Amino acid sequence: MSTRKDRLKKLVKVQEQLKALHETRHATFLAAASAAEAEARELVGHFDQPDSLSALFPDLYHRRIAQAVVRQEANLASAKQEAGLIAAATARTNMVERAYKDVRNRDERERSDRERLDIIAQKQGEE
């Protein structure tokens, strides 16, 4: 059976991986929101240019701009949600790390206490 220390060590690793996943997703959502914003700005910039097809297809331009803005807002909302998940994962990771460090320190103290007791027992056996 694995010790509590080993289980906590594995749990720390899993929590760190989960946190990294949320950080990656957050960055992806922010990048997608930025790309959607850039697309909307580009379409708005081309809308009034003389060589633009916006005079022929204004509805298409308006629809694409609106879709880009909706995508941007959705990605920003998702990024905000992931930021909350990152905070929760960070808190969980910190709690597990503290528990792991406590168990590790306790194991080290117990080991050193056993070594001292062994040394004392050996000295008493020699006398």
Side-chain angles (χ1 to χ4, degrees):
M1 187 168 118
S2 63
T3 65
R4 182 167 193 257
K5 179 179 155 185
D6 294 336
R7 290 191 310 263
L8 285 171
K9 185 176 180 179
K10 290 177 186 176
L11 188 55
V12 166
K13 183 183 249 184
V14 169
Q15 289 295 335
E16 288 173 350
Q17 290 172 342
L18 184 60
K19 181 180 167 189
L21 170 74
H22 289 304
E23 289 171 344
T24 301
R25 287 179 50 124
H26 180 257
T28 301
F29 286 130
L30 288 178
S34 178
E37 180 184 13
E39 180 184 350
R41 286 179 190 255
E42 182 181 341
L43 289 169
V44 168
H46 286 28
F47 191 76
D48 291 329
Q49 292 181 352
D51 60 345
S52 173
L53 297 175
S54 64
L56 297 173
F57 305 106
D59 291 339
L60 179 64
Y61 269 79
H62 288 295
R63 191 174 333 120
R64 293 261 327 262
I65 292 169
Q67 288 172 347
V69 170
V70 167
R71 274 196 326 272
Q72 177 190 13
E73 291 171 354
N75 283 315
L76 287 175
S78 295
K80 185 176 180 180
Q81 182 181 10
E82 285 297 324
L85 293 173
I86 290 170
T90 300
R92 281 192 309 270
T93 301
N94 291 341
M95 286 186 335
V96 173
E97 282 178 343
R98 278 193 304 272
Y100 171 68
K101 287 176 184 176
D102 289 345
V103 168
R104 190 182 64 208
N105 290 338
R106 188 186 72 217
D107 284 351
E108 288 176 14
R109 278 193 309 273
E110 288 174 358
R111 188 178 335 110
S112 66
D113 289 346
R114 279 191 301 268
E115 289 172 359
R116 283 190 209 113
L117 288 173
D118 289 342
I119 291 171
I120 292 172
Q122 287 175 356
K123 286 186 179 184
Q124 285 179 348
E126 292 174 358
E127 293 174 357

